[in-house]
Amino acid sequence: MNSFISPAIADFMLWLMYITLAVAMGVTAYSVWHGLRNRRKGSDVVNGVPAGRIGWMVAIGFVLLMVVTYALGSTQPILTNGTLLIDTFWLRLADMFIYTSIILIIGCFVSAIVSRFRS
């Protein structure tokens, strides 16, 4: 056997993954929108911390981070499983998710360290 035969349910699993990803992104977007829109104006400042402004800045910062990491993504073709992948949109999108994940993980570690040593 000199060619790779994909499993019988590979297409089904790919579509299931696409649907799950779309639903997760939709629920996340709705949750952010709903949480920020239905916040009471009196509760924008909690214990002297501007919670409403921080929420909006986090949401806007995340979107900007995704845009910047997409723009910085590589468009160089790669060889995967004997297939040359050349679609620049998907190459940049994959890099966007990788770079964004790395930046967010580093941000979590830095914030944990800073908050540990802050009095």
Side-chain angles (χ1 to χ4, degrees):
M1 225 196 271
N2 56 0
S3 66
F4 178 74
I5 299 173
S6 66
I9 62 169
D11 288 336
F12 172 75
M13 293 302 293
L14 283 172
W15 279 107
L16 184 62
M17 181 185 67
Y18 293 147
I19 292 169
T20 303
L21 179 64
V23 168
M25 290 174 64
V27 168
T28 301
Y30 175 76
S31 176
V32 168
W33 176 80
H34 186 267
L36 292 174
R37 293 292 293 170
N38 290 333
R39 181 183 304 265
R40 281 187 252 145
K41 295 298 179 192
S43 67
D44 274 354
V45 177
V46 179
N47 294 331
V49 177
R53 190 171 2 164
I54 290 173
W56 278 108
M57 294 303 289
V58 167
I60 292 168
F62 179 70
V63 170
L64 288 176
L65 179 64
M66 299 273 282
V67 169
V68 169
T69 54
Y70 177 82
L72 294 175
S74 174
T75 58
Q76 184 177 17
I78 59 173
L79 186 65
T80 304
N81 293 334
T83 303
L84 188 64
L85 302 174
I86 59 172
D87 189 355
T88 58
F89 172 75
W90 291 111
L91 290 168
R92 283 185 176 217
L93 195 71
D95 280 351
M96 176 190 73
F97 284 121
I98 292 168
Y99 294 154
T100 301
S101 298
I102 291 170
I103 291 169
L104 290 176
I105 289 170
I106 290 170
C108 287
F109 281 123
V110 169
S111 66
I113 291 169
V114 168
S115 67
R116 173 72 175 117
F117 294 109
R118 190 173 242 177
S119 54

